[in-house]
Each structure stands twice: as structure tokens, then as C-alpha cells.
Amino acid sequence: MFQIFYTDPQTKFMKSIDPETIDETFDAKGKWIHMTNPTDKEIEFVCEKIGTPEEMIKAALDDEEMARIDRDEDWLLTLFDIPTIEEEENYYSYISIPLGVMYNASTIVTVCLKRTVLLNDFATGRVKCFDTNFKTRFLLQLLYGASTKFLQYLRQIDKASQRIQSDLYETMNNDSLVQLLDLENSLVYFSTSLRSNNAVIEKLARVEAKNFYEDDLDLWEDVGIENRQAMEMCRIYSDILKSTTDAFANIINNNLNNVMKKLTIYTVILAIPTLIYSMWGMNTPVPWQDNPAGFWILTAISIVITVVAGILLFKKKKFKKK
């Protein structure tokens, strides 16, 4: 699907227009066309109406596409990553997806695989000082919003990891460990995306410097600060989460070693009476075979030896957890 918006010159409020009548009813500059996982037919329609290069739109629909800036005649493509949430069975996971921003002298086109809160805020007029006529500023505002969302989701990841750690302290279960692993993977995706976005932000100042107003330059600096802060937070949280998972892995291995140690000791202790009874069960002459109390004597000997072996192992702290 796709929607078309423009900023009303009188009220400065966002308004939408009918995509089918774009050429007949809206010929002014400053159109914003937002495409969400468009079909091939919708892509052809937009390219035919406004002349956007088709390869630019399709590049933004490739979830493996790297962030970059590219120019094709009068169209400038800026591709960067934005964070999004995926709902699993019992929890949420975090990933990043590409967002493509293309514009020329009269039109802005944004393309994304999913509906996102970031673009919805612009479409509903929640972003202050947003005007579709200022295309470079719109791009910087999108980059700033993406960095802010990264910071917001990083805080959510940190809170989720703390909650999972509390659960793991009480009881070890596979579901919590899987959630912790997913959070660690999310931080890896975020870290990669933030580094790519940082390269785009730095290159943007060189490519579009002539189109920067004074306020745009200040906004570009704020975008860089927010993105670098998100990179640092992501690195810190990733290190903490990695240390946490390593610690829990060591705890699990230690618990397994303790269980195996106990099982080995129990096997050794139980092997003593088994050995004794096996020796007295052979078809050869053995002590007390004619004594009516021979069975009880043998049982007492087995019990004494087993208890002594258990006491010796206990004194050597073989039963203590390490």
C-alpha cells in the first residue's frame, strides 16, 4: 500500500490526497509518498506518475540491503536502518529493517517493508516543525527519529534482560535462556545497523551540504550525537549481556559437574556391597558358608565398609558444591 501527503501552506498541517488523482488534483511541490511493502503494480504506478527509479524503490525492500547514499540523475536515495519489534509466542524480539528515502526537487518518497511508529508520527503530524517542502530537513528528522527509537528499544532490551536474569536466579529454564539469546542477537543487529547509519550521517553532510539551512546543520549535529550515544549504549548492553550469558553458562556447567560428581560417588558406594555379594555368590568355598548367621555377617561387613567409604568421601568434601 502507499499514501500521499502534503503540508498545507496555510495551516502547516499534514493532509492526505487520493493517489489516483495525484496528477489532476495536486500539482504543487512538496508531495510525500509513503509506500509500505508495495506490490509490483503499486511500484509501477508510482514510477510512472513521478518518475522515481524503480531500482531505488526495490533496493529499500531488500532486508539485506546495506545503508548507503546513492544518486540517480535528479533523485537522491538515502538508505538506512530503523528498529522494529517482532512479537514472538511469549515475548518480543527486536530487529532492524531498511528505510529508503528518495527525493528530487518536487517529491519525497519513503519505502519500508513494515508499518512503523516512526513514519506514522510524521503522517499524523506529531513531529514538530515538519514540512514536506523541506526535504533535507525531513531526511534529518527521520534519521533523528530512528536514533531516538534505537535508544528507546535499547532501554527496553536492558529492562527485559534484567527481568530474565531475575527469573534465571530463581529457576533455570530453557525459555528464559532462549529469550536471553534473542536479546543478545538483537543487540548484534542494532550494533551493525547503528554503525552503518553513522556512515550515512557523516556522508550526508558532504553530499547535501549545499542544501543545509542553519537549523539543518544543528539538526545534523544532534542526529550524530544521538546515533553515537545509541552505539555506545548498544556496546555496553551487549558486553553486559554477553558476560551474563557466559556466567549462566558457567553456572549450568558447574551444576552439571556437581550432578555427575554425585552420581559417580553414589555409584562407587553402591558398587562396594555389589562386589562383596558377587564374591560370596561364586560356586567356590567361601567363609561362613556353613554358618546359619553367615548372611547377616556378610551384610554387616558390607554396611560397615559402605559407611566408612561414605564418611571418608564426606570428609574429603566430595559432596560439597564448588
Side-chain angles (χ1 to χ4, degrees):
M1 61 170 287
F2 68 95
Q3 301 167 287
I4 305 177
F5 305 92
Y6 74 100
T7 303
D8 187 278
Q10 301 297 328
T11 63
K12 297 299 181 181
F13 291 150
M14 289 296 299
K15 291 187 177 181
S16 60
I17 60 177
D18 184 1
E20 298 293 340
T21 60
I22 182 173
D23 288 338
E24 293 78 3
T25 63
F26 190 71
D27 194 31
K29 294 183 178 180
K31 298 183 294 295
W32 169 30
I33 303 175
H34 174 51
M35 310 179 72
T36 304
N37 196 19
T39 62
D40 290 338
K41 185 177 181 181
E42 290 172 337
I43 295 175
E44 291 178 4
F45 176 83
V46 171
C47 293
E48 180 183 353
K49 291 289 183 181
I50 61 175
T52 310
E54 185 175 337
E55 59 272 13
M56 281 189 174
I57 296 178
K58 290 187 176 181
L61 298 175
D62 184 1
D63 56 1
E64 300 295 331
E65 193 74 25
M66 293 296 294
R68 70 177 194 275
I69 296 178
D70 194 12
R71 189 180 291 276
D72 186 350
E73 297 181 354
D74 60 336
W75 285 92
L76 180 71
L77 166 66
T78 303
L79 198 64
F80 57 95
D81 291 332
I82 61 174
T84 185
I85 300 177
E86 286 194 340
E87 186 175 357
E88 304 294 342
E89 185 175 353
N90 298 318
Y91 60 95
Y92 295 101
S93 61
Y94 301 83
I95 61 171
S96 57
I97 57 175
L99 171 64
V101 182
M102 295 145 277
Y103 60 81
N104 62 3
S106 62
T107 308
I108 306 171
V109 181
T110 56
V111 185
C112 192
L113 286 167
K114 299 180 180 180
R115 295 187 62 181
T116 64
V117 177
L118 174 62
L119 290 166
N120 186 62
D121 288 343
F122 284 90
T124 54
R126 296 177 184 175
V127 179
K128 296 181 180 180
C129 303
F130 169 53
D131 192 327
T132 55
N133 293 291
F134 296 93
K135 302 170 186 62
T136 305
R137 184 175 302 172
F138 179 26
L139 174 58
L140 290 171
Q141 288 173 321
L142 283 172
L143 285 165
Y144 185 85
S147 300
T148 303
K149 283 295 178 185
F150 271 115
L151 287 170
Q152 177 185 342
Y153 290 159
L154 283 169
R155 294 187 185 97
Q156 293 180 9
I157 289 174
D158 183 48
K159 291 181 180 179
S161 66
Q162 291 178 10
R163 175 183 54 80
I164 295 171
Q165 290 177 42
S166 299
D167 294 339
L168 287 172
Y169 286 137
E170 296 178 1
T171 175
M172 288 282 184
N173 59 81
N174 291 336
D175 290 339
S176 296
L177 291 172
V178 169
Q179 292 181 38
L180 208 61
L181 180 61
D182 280 347
L183 291 180
E184 190 173 0
N185 291 337
S186 298
L187 289 174
V188 173
Y189 296 141
F190 277 16
S191 178
T192 303
S193 297
L194 287 166
R195 287 198 301 269
S196 300
N197 286 359
N198 193 64
V200 168
I201 294 168
E202 292 178 352
K203 185 177 180 180
L204 184 63
R206 300 192 299 269
V207 174
E208 287 289 272
K210 62 182 180 180
N211 296 322
F212 276 15
Y213 295 95
E214 185 177 350
D215 292 341
D216 294 342
L217 185 59
D218 292 337
L219 180 57
W220 174 80
E221 292 176 352
D222 292 340
V223 171
I225 291 171
E226 289 290 309
N227 194 79
R228 287 190 293 273
Q229 182 181 353
M231 290 173 62
E232 183 64 18
M233 285 182 61
C234 187
R235 185 190 64 80
I236 293 172
Y237 291 158
S238 181
D239 291 343
I240 292 174
L241 200 55
K242 184 177 180 180
S243 300
T244 301
T245 52
D246 290 344
F248 280 116
N250 291 333
I251 291 173
I252 292 172
N253 290 333
N254 190 54
N255 290 340
L256 179 61
N257 290 337
N258 287 329
V259 171
M260 296 303 297
K261 185 190 301 180
K262 286 184 178 181
L263 289 175
T264 301
I265 292 172
Y266 294 149
T267 301
V268 171
I269 292 175
L270 292 176
I272 295 174
T274 302
L275 176 63
I276 295 175
Y277 284 113
S278 298
M279 293 176 62
W280 258 259
M282 294 186 296
N283 294 326
T284 57
V286 294
W288 310 303
Q289 63 178 2
D290 298 325
N291 190 335
F295 172 78
W296 300 109
I297 295 172
L298 190 61
T299 300
I301 293 173
S302 299
I303 292 174
V304 170
I305 296 175
T306 302
V307 170
V308 170
I311 292 173
L312 291 174
L313 290 173
F314 180 78
K315 285 185 176 181
K316 291 182 178 180
K317 301 181 181 180
K318 295 295 182 182
F319 282 105
K320 282 193 174 183
K321 292 182 180 181
K322 293 185 179 179

